[in-house]
Amino acid sequence: MSKIIGIVGGVGPKAGENLHAKILLNTRAVRDGDHLPILLYTNPAIPDRTDFILGKSPENPGHEILRSLELLVSAGARVLCIPCNTAHAPVIWDVVKAGLAALVCDAQLLHIVNLTVEHMVHHYPNVSRVGILATTGTILAEVYQVALVQHGIFSVVPSESHQREIHDAIYHPEWGIKARSAPVMPHAIDILTSAAARLVAGGAEAIILGCTEIPRQRCLDRRFEHPGQEGHPTCRRRREACPRHVTALTAARGHLWIGRRQLGLGV
């Protein structure tokens, strides 16, 4: 029997739901019994990761994420995933990793950022400059910058003012993707599309959509038209790391573009 996959939901809630759906979509199954065992636990008590990194919230989200993982492990999950890029900031991730190690279990915790970068390096070895679209917390914690530089790849990040716009496109209470996702509001799409174009103008040969909200909506697919550039999603990396017949999945949550062709790496 395949190992049970455990997904921490609530970071945001739709990210976990969408990862679950993508695992189903990418499983080679002709009948119910061919599918993988999956547990999805949505925990709305997990504090906002960016608020913590910016000093707006005193509670480290890692503790509540760890409680979610403990619940999943106790229910039998042995392949674990946190579909939130910002949660992989060391100040949060280290708490989770240390706590899980203390459980003394054989569960595998997937690192979506490392998996995304490793996939990109393996399949697109000639890319040397990568743009990053993500929350302000992910950018300030240099989650992707550190992972990329270990492979000799230069990160292209938005300016401070443009990053504020990107963050609003995700978080704004009236028109941000977290608040209005069905459908995504045109203003949010415009901001993200313009941001991607600026990264390309700044020399990016590929773009990582390092936020679970952006790839979930695929809101840039029809509008990002810069031939010769790549875009790379981080969530399909998570699907690939799940065992058995899941194809093209691992553990991040974003998208990578190459020219006008989206690579389908995000969940």
Side-chain angles (χ1 to χ4, degrees):
M1 180 178 177
S2 297
K3 292 180 180 180
I4 298 175
I5 299 168
I7 302 171
V8 175
V11 284
K14 285 290 185 179
E17 175 191 354
N18 195 47
L19 174 57
H20 183 279
K22 287 296 174 58
I23 292 175
L24 297 180
L25 181 64
N26 286 272
T27 300
R28 298 171 188 165
V30 296
R31 55 188 178 187
D32 294 349
D34 292 335
H35 283 276
L36 298 168
I38 303 169
L39 295 173
L40 168 59
Y41 173 53
T42 296
N43 183 358
I46 298 174
D48 188 84
R49 284 66 60 203
T50 290
D51 280 352
F52 174 69
I53 291 172
L54 297 181
K56 297 179 179 180
S57 171
E59 184 179 357
N60 191 321
H63 298 295
E64 197 62 44
I65 291 173
L66 178 59
R67 280 190 278 272
S68 299
L69 290 172
E70 290 173 343
L71 185 150
L72 289 168
V73 169
S74 67
R78 289 299 179 267
V79 178
L80 307 171
C81 183
I82 307 165
C84 172
N85 288 277
T86 314
H88 289 68
V91 69
I92 299 173
W93 181 261
D94 290 350
V95 170
V96 174
K97 186 177 179 181
L100 190 62
L103 293 180
V104 191
C105 66
D106 60 347
Q108 176 189 10
L109 178 60
L110 303 179
H111 193 291
I112 67 178
V113 173
N114 290 345
L115 288 166
T116 297
V117 173
E118 289 166 6
H119 177 91
M120 187 185 68
V121 169
H122 178 73
H123 291 280
Y124 305 96
N126 295 325
V127 170
S128 61
R129 296 174 63 89
V130 174
I132 305 169
L133 285 179
T135 66
T136 300
T138 298
I139 295 294
L140 290 181
E142 299 188 335
V143 173
Y144 276 100
Q145 294 94 310
V146 171
L148 288 167
V149 77
Q150 291 175 355
H151 295 275
I153 299 173
F154 179 80
S155 297
V156 182
V157 299
S159 67
E160 186 175 341
S161 61
H162 290 149
Q163 180 58 43
R164 285 196 293 269
E165 294 178 359
I166 294 167
H167 195 75
D168 279 348
I170 299 169
Y171 275 93
H172 196 280
E174 295 180 3
W175 48 266
I177 295 176
K178 283 183 177 290
R180 301 289 297 274
S181 60
V184 176
M185 300 298 288
H187 187 42
I189 296 175
D190 289 341
I191 288 174
L192 294 171
T193 304
S194 297
R198 283 192 293 266
L199 292 175
V200 171
E205 301 163 291
I207 297 174
I208 290 177
L209 302 189
C211 173
T212 55
E213 309 298 339
I214 299 174
R216 175 168 61 84
Q217 299 304 330
R218 301 183 182 273
C219 57
L220 305 183
D221 291 5
R222 69 184 185 279
R223 311 217 1 217
F224 187 71
E225 300 180 352
H226 295 272
Q229 308 304 322
E230 298 210 29
H232 196 98
T234 60
C235 243
R236 180 162 297 185
R237 300 288 81 249
R238 172 177 47 219
R239 297 194 302 270
E240 289 175 351
C242 296
R244 207 166 56 134
H245 11 249
V246 178
T247 60
L249 281 170
T250 309
R253 182 126 191 129
H255 282 277
L256 175 60
W257 269 270
I258 297 194
R260 300 176 62 168
R261 182 168 60 90
Q262 187 204 23
L263 299 183
L265 298 171
V267 130

